[in-house]
Structures are given as C-alpha cells and as structure tokens.
Amino acid sequence: MTKAHDQALTGWHLENSYSRLPASFFSIQKPTPVQAPKLVKFNEPLAAELGLDAEDLQTDVGVAVFAGNEIPEGSEPLAQAYAGHQFGNLTMLGDGRAILLGEQITPQDERFDIQLKGSGRTPYSRGGDGRASLGPMLREYIISEAMHGLGIPTTRSLAVVSTGEPVIRETDLPGAILTRVAASHIRVGTFQYAAGKGDVEALKALADYTIQRHFPSIATNDHPYLSLLQEVIKQQASLIAKWQLVGFIHGVMNTDNMTISGETIDYGPCAFMNTYDPATVFSSIDRNGRYAYANQRPIGGWNLARFAETLLQLLDKDQDKAVEMAQHEMSQYMPLFQSNWLAGMRAKLGIVDEEKDDEKLVEDLLDIMENNRADYTNTFRALTYNKPEDSALFDKPEFEKWKKTWQARRDRQQASKEESQTLMENSNPAVIPRNHRVEEALESAVEHGDYSVMEKLLDVLSNPYGHKTEQEEYCSPPPASSLPYKTYCGT
Ligand code: AMP
Ligand code: MG
C-alpha cells in the first residue's frame, strides 16, 4: 500500500482555516520526528466521533502521525502565537511545545483542532525543549477524559505515544506526545496578543474568525463584537460554576489558559479537592493561592476583564463609550456565575424549583462541611443515598438540624421523591479522579509499563454518575496519613 493510500484509510479530513488568519498569528512549523514512537494509549470512542478509523490509526502509519513523524494529508502544521497574563504579569507566549496539525472535519460536519503536545521546539519555545514527559501527558489524558465523563466542557485526549527519547528534567524521564482535540485553541491570550500589537485589522480578523467558528448565530447582530463578549462571559460563567460544583481546581488560570470556546484547557497542576476547604491549592508554584478553589470565580472575572479590554477598539470609536459598554457586560459575570452555580447546587440537593432561602441552605451546608473537614464529593454522595458515610459530619447536631431543614425543603416541592433522587444521582458524581488513584495509575504505567490500573480507572471515570457497586473502591478519599498533595506545571 502506498503511504497516501494508508493515510486516506485512517480517515483524516483536515482543513486549515486558522492559517488563513494574518501571518502574525502563527508560525509554520513541522513537528520534530522522534526515534521510536510507541502508541501507549488510544481513545477509540473519540476516534470514532471524529470520523477516524481506530484500527488503521493503531498501525505504524497511523501512529507515525501521533508521533509527528508523518504529516497527514491536508495538514499545514503550525504553532500558534499568543500572549497571556501569567500570575498577573503579561508575557509574550505561543505554542512552545505544541503543533496544530489542522482541523478535523467530522462526519457530522463539526470542526476540531488536532494538536500534538510535546512535538518539538517552535519559534515560541523560549528556553524550553519543546518536549513533554510521559507521566504528565498520561495525567492530562486521565483528567481531561474524566472531565468529559463528568459532563464538563473540555479539550479531549485522542492518543499518547511514548517517543523512545528521554526528556531532561530534574532527572531523565521518558518522553511522550499527547494528541489533544479541542473546539479550538483560541484563548483570551490570543486576543491579548492581537490587541498588544496594536493592529486593529488583525484583531478584527481574529474576532470575525472566532465568531464564525464558535458563535455563528451572532454574526449578523447589530453589535457582533459586543455579542462576542457576552457569549464568552456566558461560557466562562457556566464553565467555572461547573468546576466549583465538582471540586475541580484548575491550578493555573492564566489568561493564556482560558479558551474562548468555553472548554477547560491546559491540564498542568490541576487536581480535585478531597476535604472541603475553599482555600485549597495543589500547585507547587501558586504560593499566594491566587488560583485557590474559592478564587476561581473572581479570577474568571479578572481574566474576562482582560478579554473585554482587548475588544475596546472594536466596540466603539468613542473609547469612553466602549469602556462603558464593556463594563456593563462585565457586571453580568458574577450574577451569571451565581445563577449557574446555585442551579447546580439545587440539583445536587435534589431541588427542582426555586425559593429565596435556597442559597442560605447551600451556604449553611458548606459551612458545616468546612468546619468538620468533610470530604466534598462523598458528602453529596452520602446525602444522595441518605447513608452516613462520613460519620464525623453525620453525627454532628448542627448537621442533623440542617438535614431537617433540607428535608422539609425537598418535601415542599412539586417533584416526586423519585424525581428528586434521580436528579441527585445525576448531579453528584460517585467517582472523581482522586489524586492518590491518579498517582497509582501513573506509577504503574510509567514505572512498570503496566497500563491496566489506568485502564480500570478510566473505565470507572467514564461513568461517574453510574453509582455502580464496582465503583465503590474508587470513592474513598486518600488515607489520612498522606502528605499534602502537590502538583507541577508544564513538566
Ligand atoms: P503552561 O504553563 O503549560 O500554560 O505553559 C506556558 C507556556 O510555556 C506555553 O507557551 C507553553 O507552550 C510553554 N512551554 C511549557 N513547557 C515547555 C517546553 N518544555 N518547551 C517549550 N515551551 C514550553
Ligand atoms: Mg498553557
């Protein structure tokens, strides 16, 4: 079989609309080939959704694409330019270790970026080697797929290949490349990059492209750029509320790690909270807790304000008026977040309608959980089944009192007991990717080449609202003796 024929069989149908943007937005850049690629993880259901042939992609020719050793037909590989506020400081960035192969057009006519992460140096690599190591790429695979299972918008993971080459960090680590799938990789930082150049035409081209790609229905509005701001605020208010509801801590909410599509992106130092504590931080470099659990809501607003600033020149010629328009939209973020979050919390408590004291009911529960250091996920799971799992909490008089108020609230609503119960089951995950479980799976894969632990974990995480008996062993928090969990960026 010829190579072109092989590639046709794999189902790649790539377009390159991003490369039609002004040239300053990217650099043409091929991946750097690797020595001995080996497919270590492949996402068959996702391949099928993308219209790819799962079997052919696992052959040598298919794997060569995931390794960056072959460029599939139709691909015009490039690295994207962007800027970003990193812990509050604006920096010029860009894909330092990622390459966009193109946009896969699915059989349903949807468009998804196909990006290789860890595929070699680019003009934006700064001092870095452009590479990634196996553990963090598998970690991104596990957590992004877990987020998808939880119903949270996210980039996905199609494949991980080990490269057969070491990457040099504190010690030598096995190298790997992740194939990331995203609605797009346009970030708040991409707009900051365009606005920072002071090139209004380029900024307008980016905004028009983004509208066409993500929000086509607003293109004919009277003020499409104002609508763009509204849409992005809406998406992020919804996304960050969803993170809060499952106890997800992103860890590095720099503006370059906030998408315009509303997908979660950049699984570096993220982790799920066990004990409910609003001040929880896992990231080793987040010393001031800028991106702590409770700060994700205000930081979302801060990042959106940076996005709004980039649009000012497009909103109105009169800059005072433009600022006023942007400020008005920004004032909608907190109420939008709050209504998304409260709706989600009502669902977690099996409540289908609205009463004015609902927020207090939720806040009272969270206070009791915090004071008793209760496990976040398991408290809601226990409430769902009315099983006192965490006895430290369930024996407390203040909790008993709260439960009576809650039961009375549930009894007052129109929904039947069964409807309320089903709502709770569908809103309270039984399993989340607990840090100790993720570490166990990674150690087994990276140290011993045994992927069975990770496979089992991924299977359980694909159905987190299943509440199946075989999931129970994945529900326990880490042993109390465990040291505080620490996560790391960009490793
Ligand atoms: P992150 O903290 O993962 O969002 O990364 C911040 C920036 O550093 C991005 O522009 C990355 O592309 C870049 N980067 C991270 N690791 C590397 C690396 N090993 N080589 C080159 N660039 C990198
Ligand atoms: Mg990033």
Side-chain angles (χ1 to χ4, degrees), residues 82 86 93 117 180 187 252 254 256-257 265-266:
Y82 49 86
Q86 299 192 300
L93 296 163
K117 183 169 170 182
R180 177 157 77 181
R187 308 144 191 268
V252 62
N254 294 335
D256 50 302
N257 294 336
I265 196 173
D266 220 308

Side-chain angles (χ1 to χ4, degrees), residues 200-433:
V200 184
E201 283 313 306
L203 178 69
K204 192 167 170 302
L206 176 66
D208 290 339
Y209 175 80
T210 304
I211 289 171
Q212 281 306 329
R213 187 151 175 192
H214 293 302
F215 312 105
S217 67
I218 65 171
T220 51
N221 285 5
D222 289 344
H223 295 287
Y225 305 121
L226 189 66
S227 303
L228 174 63
L229 178 58
Q230 287 166 347
E231 291 299 325
V232 174
I233 291 172
K234 234 192 278 174
Q235 299 292 330
Q236 288 296 332
S238 161
L239 178 69
I240 299 170
K242 288 193 167 97
W243 292 353
Q244 299 304 92
L245 291 164
V246 297
F248 173 77
I249 302 170
H250 183 283
V252 62
M253 286 176 72
N254 294 335
T255 53
D256 50 302
N257 294 336
M258 183 184 258
T259 60
I260 298 299
S261 68
E263 286 182 345
T264 312
I265 196 173
D266 220 308
Y267 290 91
C270 64
F272 281 71
M273 175 167 66
N274 293 300
T275 303
Y276 178 66
D277 178 356
T280 306
V281 174
F282 292 112
S283 171
S284 56
I285 60 165
D286 190 4
R287 292 195 188 87
N288 300 318
R290 180 180 170 92
Y291 301 137
Y293 174 74
N295 282 349
Q296 298 193 118
R297 174 177 71 159
I299 282 290
W302 193 88
N303 288 351
L304 288 166
R306 303 292 78 75
F307 177 59
E309 283 164 7
T310 70
L311 294 179
L312 289 177
Q313 286 168 291
L314 302 181
L315 290 180
D316 203 284
K317 279 199 202 74
D318 175 347
Q319 285 301 282
D320 289 340
K321 196 163 166 229
V323 169
E324 207 176 292
M325 288 160 84
Q327 277 174 344
H328 174 74
E329 294 312 326
M330 280 308 304
S331 70
Q332 307 299 308
Y333 167 72
M334 281 293 183
L336 266 173
F337 174 94
Q338 196 61 14
S339 73
N340 277 295
W341 177 79
L342 189 54
M345 275 294 178
R346 282 195 182 98
K348 283 172 89 69
L349 293 175
I351 298 170
V352 300
D353 54 10
E354 297 179 15
E355 281 187 11
K356 74 169 176 27
D357 285 341
D358 289 344
E359 190 165 343
K360 182 174 173 348
L361 184 74
V362 175
E363 294 293 355
D364 285 350
L365 172 63
L366 292 175
D367 282 346
I368 299 169
M369 284 165 63
E370 185 180 354
N371 293 337
N372 290 281
R373 303 200 51 76
D375 183 86
Y376 181 77
T377 304
N378 283 355
T379 301
F380 286 101
R381 182 166 163 262
L383 287 172
T384 304
Y385 289 101
N386 201 16
K387 273 201 287 194
E389 278 185 66
D390 186 339
S391 55
L393 176 71
F394 279 67
D395 291 347
K396 291 281 159 58
E398 68 263 35
F399 182 72
E400 277 300 314
K401 189 165 164 248
W402 177 87
K403 243 179 107 195
K404 287 208 178 83
T405 315
W406 171 53
Q407 291 297 3
R409 172 69 184 89
R410 275 179 98 187
D411 293 344
R412 273 200 304 278
Q413 64 182 341
Q414 291 298 313
S416 69
K417 281 220 159 47
E418 290 71 30
E419 281 169 322
S420 173
Q421 170 78 20
T422 306
L423 181 62
M424 288 186 76
E425 285 171 23
N426 293 336
S427 311
N428 294 312
V431 273
I432 52 163

Side-chain angles (χ1 to χ4, degrees), residues 82 86 93-97 125-126 128-131 169 256-257 266 489-490:
Y82 49 86
Q86 299 192 300
L93 296 163
D95 292 329
R97 57 163 171 176
S125 295
R126 299 176 291 165
D129 61 1
R131 293 297 186 190
R169 298 293 181 261
D256 50 302
N257 294 336
D266 220 308
C489 270

